[in-house]
Amino acid sequence: MVLDQTELIDGLLDLAQNLGSDAALDVRLTSLCRSAVRLAGCDRSSIYLLVGEYYEEKCHFENPSGAARGLAPQRVHIQDPLISRAVQNRSCVTVEDTERCVLTNQQAEAHAPFVVVAPVLSDAPAALGFVTAEYHQRPHAFDDTVSRLILGMATLAATAVAAERRGRQRIEAHEQEAQVDAALAKVGRELIASLNTPALLERLCQVTTEVLGCDYSCTLLWQPRDDTYVPTACHGATAEEWEAIQLVKFSHNDMADFIDRVRREEVVQVSEPPLESVPVVRLGVEYGISASLHVALRRGDEMIGFHAAGYRGRPKPFTPQQERIARGIGQLASLALETARLVEELERANRVRSEFVATMSHELRTPLNIILGYNDLLLEHAFGALTLEQADTLRRADKSARELLDLINTTLDLSRLEAGRMSLDLRETQLGDLIHEIDVETRRLQEKPGFTFVLHAPASLPPLRTDPLKLKVVLKNLIVNALKFTDQGSVMVDVFARDGGMEVCVADTGIGMTPETQLIIFEPFRQADGFKTRRQGGVGLGLYIVRRLLEMLGGTISVDSGLGRGSLFRVWIPNLAESGDEPRVTRPGDV
């Protein structure tokens, strides 16, 4: 048959436009087959695409007016001579029934006596597939125009298939990236949840088996004292296996080459027999590990161990995606282990500091109490009468010594808080009686000209179940602060029931605080800057201890102040249950 050149060009342009649409690949390729039937005048056109070792029919289109003539083969082997010839020549091949190929004969029934085949080519040795134009009868007039048409359609099909596969590869790559990111995010969350090294290592092994989908994971850390690598955590082994594994130590000298390789490559996969000579790999083989990978654990440039994951009874190696996840696990684990080490060192240093502070506080308090005792005896004339000047000097010394004792007691309280050695002693407490005790103990600070101390604590207040000693420290700190920083005017203490607990308000007309100062007063060793603060002394621990004790009691504290207009502290204390459970009370806006 002879095709009109103008019709051919127009048809190919329309076809190219259809193949470039957003429709599914099947729809676009079927459109190509339809155009082949229309332009080449054939009875049927098919497109086969490579799947494994076969070209499988992806789509076809038959001329509605043509007579059906048997079934076309649904797949053709990749080494079929006809297809191999078309691929090798990179051109169309025409086949008649006399050649008896799979496309012209199926079983005993002739399918198409005349077929034109064009390869769908790519850069790979094998073709992506091929396009056919099938005729039930050999055309009376046949020229190369049909061959060029089918070959052009094959080129368009190759473009469409390659573009679709590139798009699918991009999607798969994005999906793999998302899977890697999700896996590493899960590892990061799990490792951040624990800063205790043994717990962290246990969780590391467990989450490794989860995100890699493997059967076994183990961590070995370097022991510098004897230059060995020791198993420290494991997941996926039985209790008996783990008991045996823990007894094994791997000498660095015996694994030097393997360790150097892990250090260089970060991830080493073990599935080849030669590496079974490595002691740690040989041990895994003894316990049924058929494929494993090992990642480096680092502290800076130093390798502090390695982390292993493995399969049981599966010789197939880990995938590149799993290797990427494993590399990320090694990096996250290295960071988490270093963080845990630093936290543990800080905790150790903090314990040493707390023990030193507690010891020194005890040592200082003993002679100071003796000094205060003798000072009281002197003031009580136990050793004879005193002159007015001597008595005044002793009172000044007594005042300074008691301030020093308060400072020592505060420091001791802080060390106990930081060491976590304080526990709650819950009892029924009359808050009014507690505040009256503080009133009596602070009378000296109240003795100022032009100053008034006002206490509102109704006798009808219900009892409060709390720790009275800790609550007394809280309230005394607040009242003493108010008295210290109020030279004239008043300090007013109000007590009333609220929200199932008690609220205590301590208001003064003293120097007040700036908004910036209010942000730091509850932090340790922070004080409001200024001459008045320095003149009153202290190291900035009082309000910090107040906040920490209130946290233990489940209470809250807030402050309202302004420079030159005094301060108002509000403390709320809950009525704790008989069970003595840890308080869990929070209120929005409170410090």
Side-chain angles (χ1 to χ4, degrees):
M1 62 176 296
V2 180
L3 298 179
D4 179 80
Q5 295 296 319
T6 302
E7 182 183 4
L8 177 61
I9 293 172
D10 290 342
L12 290 175
L13 288 175
D14 291 342
L15 182 58
Q17 185 175 2
N18 289 335
L19 288 176
S21 69
D22 293 332
L25 180 64
D26 291 359
V27 174
R28 289 179 286 156
L29 293 182
T30 301
S31 174
L32 187 148
C33 293
R34 184 185 299 109
S35 296
V37 169
R38 178 171 61 88
L39 296 174
C42 59
D43 297 293
R44 176 188 171 100
S45 177
S46 302
I47 294 179
Y48 292 75
L49 295 180
L50 183 63
V51 180
E53 294 185 351
Y54 287 88
Y55 295 106
E56 295 185 357
E57 187 181 63
K58 184 71 173 177
C59 58
H60 70 272
F61 185 82
E62 294 186 3
N63 187 342
S65 61
R69 190 176 175 82
L71 298 174
Q74 293 184 345
R75 66 178 189 171
V76 178
H77 196 273
I78 190 174
Q79 294 181 349
D80 182 86
L82 171 66
I83 308 304
S84 298
R85 184 172 18 137
V87 172
Q88 184 176 0
N89 296 335
R90 304 182 72 85
S91 62
C92 280
V93 175
T94 57
V95 186
E96 296 195 53
D97 59 355
T98 56
E99 296 185 58
R100 301 188 58 81
C101 81
V102 70
L103 295 175
T104 58
N105 289 270
Q106 176 146 349
Q107 298 175 353
E109 182 180 3
H111 168 62
F114 192 83
V115 181
V116 180
V117 179
V120 177
L121 298 171
S122 69
D123 296 332
L128 295 173
F130 58 89
V131 179
T132 66
E134 306 163 17
Y135 295 87
H136 294 164
Q137 293 182 353
R138 193 185 195 288
H140 296 293
F142 186 85
D143 61 11
D144 290 341
T145 306
V146 173
S147 297
R148 290 197 301 272
L149 169 67
I150 302 304
L151 189 60
M153 290 183 174
T155 301
L156 292 174
T159 302
V161 171
E164 193 270 345
R165 291 186 176 179
R166 285 194 301 270
R168 191 187 313 139
Q169 288 171 354
R170 284 195 295 270
I171 292 172
E172 291 174 354
H174 286 311
E175 289 176 349
Q176 289 180 358
E177 287 294 330
Q179 291 169 0
V180 171
D181 291 344
L184 294 181
K186 179 177 181 178
V187 173
R189 286 193 302 270
E190 295 290 346
L191 297 185
I192 289 171
S194 176
L195 289 177
N196 174 270
T197 299
L200 187 152
L201 291 172
E202 293 286 344
R203 197 70 192 112
L204 169 64
C205 292
Q206 183 177 348
V207 75
T208 296
T209 59
E210 291 174 3
V211 300
L212 292 182
C214 59
D215 305 311
Y216 170 86
S217 179
C218 183
T219 302
L220 296 94
L221 294 182
W222 180 55
Q223 304 299 319
R225 285 182 299 179
D226 50 5
D227 198 19
T228 58
Y229 289 88
V230 177
T232 54
C234 180
H235 185 76
T238 65
E240 293 80 6
E241 289 173 344
W242 178 230
E243 285 292 332
I245 291 171
Q246 288 183 92
L247 299 176
V248 181
K249 291 185 178 182
F250 300 98
S251 169
H252 181 275
N253 292 333
D254 294 340
M255 299 196 303
D257 294 340
F258 178 69
I259 295 299
D260 287 341
R261 182 178 169 188
V262 175
R263 180 184 289 108
R264 288 193 315 271
E265 300 177 17
E266 289 192 345
V267 178
V268 173
Q269 185 160 183
V270 178
S271 57
E272 59 267 33
L275 282 179
E276 290 185 5
S277 61
V278 179
V280 68
V281 178
R282 189 165 59 248
L283 179 69
V285 172
E286 290 177 6
Y287 286 102
I289 303 303
S290 54
S292 62
L293 55 79
H294 302 74
V295 296
L297 299 176
R298 301 177 182 274
R299 181 183 300 146
D301 295 332
E302 178 186 7
M303 185 167 160
I304 61 171
F306 57 92
H307 184 56
Y311 286 107
R312 296 180 187 271
R314 169 184 153 167
K316 187 176 180 180
F318 287 83
T319 66
Q321 180 179 351
Q322 288 174 308
E323 287 192 359
R324 288 186 56 203
I325 294 173
R327 181 176 286 104
I329 290 174
Q331 294 167 352
L332 289 171
S334 298
L335 179 61
L337 285 170
E338 178 63 8
T339 302
R341 185 184 70 85
L342 292 174
V343 169
E344 289 166 1
E345 287 186 358
L346 287 173
E347 288 176 347
R348 251 191 323 268
N350 191 52
R351 283 196 300 271
V352 171
R353 178 187 63 81
S354 296
E355 290 170 2
F356 172 77
V357 169
T359 301
M360 289 301 298
S361 297
H362 281 295
E363 293 298 323
L364 290 172
R365 192 165 56 172
T366 300
L368 190 57
N369 280 326
I370 294 173
I371 292 170
L372 286 169
Y374 277 114
N375 202 73
D376 287 341
L377 290 174
L378 288 170
L379 286 171
E380 292 171 0
H381 306 289
F383 301 106
L386 300 173
T387 65
L388 291 176
E389 184 177 357
Q390 288 172 332
D392 183 62
T393 301
L394 287 172
R395 290 189 190 95
R396 290 175 183 271
D398 182 77
K399 179 177 180 296
S400 297
R402 292 187 186 282
E403 288 176 354
L404 181 57
L405 183 61
D406 285 343
L407 178 59
I408 292 171
N409 288 335
T410 299
T411 305
L412 186 58
D413 287 342
L414 175 65
S415 68
R416 289 171 177 165
L417 277 170
E418 297 294 341
R421 290 201 297 264
M422 279 193 172
S423 58
L424 291 178
D425 179 19
L426 300 180
R427 286 180 279 170
E428 294 290 334
T429 305
Q430 292 293 338
L431 195 52
D433 294 342
L434 199 65
I435 293 180
H436 280 295
E437 289 179 20
I438 299 172
D439 178 25
V440 173
E441 293 172 7
T442 59
R443 287 286 167 83
R444 288 185 182 181
L445 292 174
Q446 300 174 26
E447 295 171 356
K448 304 176 187 178
F451 176 81
T452 305
F453 183 79
V454 182
L455 174 60
H456 293 147
S460 60
L461 287 172
L464 181 71
R465 183 173 175 80
T466 188
D467 187 323
L469 293 180
K470 292 179 179 59
L471 182 55
K472 183 176 180 181
V473 171
V474 169
L475 299 179
K476 188 172 182 178
N477 263 293
L478 294 176
I479 292 172
V480 168
N481 272 357
L483 293 171
K484 280 183 178 180
F485 296 107
T486 307
D487 288 334
Q488 293 183 331
S490 65
V491 169
M492 183 177 296
V493 180
D494 285 304
V495 185
F496 52 90
R498 180 172 75 83
D499 295 340
M502 293 284 181
E503 181 165 298
V504 180
C505 296
V506 181
D508 65 65
T509 59
I511 59 175
M513 294 176 284
T514 63
E516 294 76 18
T517 300
Q518 295 175 49
L519 296 175
I520 65 170
I521 57 173
F522 294 103
E523 297 177 12
F525 306 106
R526 300 297 294 271
Q527 293 177 298
D529 192 16
F531 169 76
K532 187 73 175 179
T533 303
R534 289 193 296 270
R535 185 167 68 86
Q536 295 297 338
V539 293
L541 289 175
L543 290 177
Y544 171 69
I545 290 174
V546 164
R547 179 176 65 83
R548 290 291 303 273
L549 289 177
L550 281 172
E551 287 175 356
M552 291 184 66
L553 296 172
T556 60
I557 184 169
S558 62
V559 60
D560 180 21
S561 182
L563 200 59
R565 65 174 179 86
S567 302
L568 170 62
F569 285 86
R570 293 180 181 272
V571 172
W572 180 81
I573 312 101
N575 195 7
L576 297 180
E578 290 286 342
S579 63
D581 292 339
E582 283 294 320
R584 293 183 297 273
V585 181
T586 56
R587 291 185 178 278
D590 290 336
V591 175

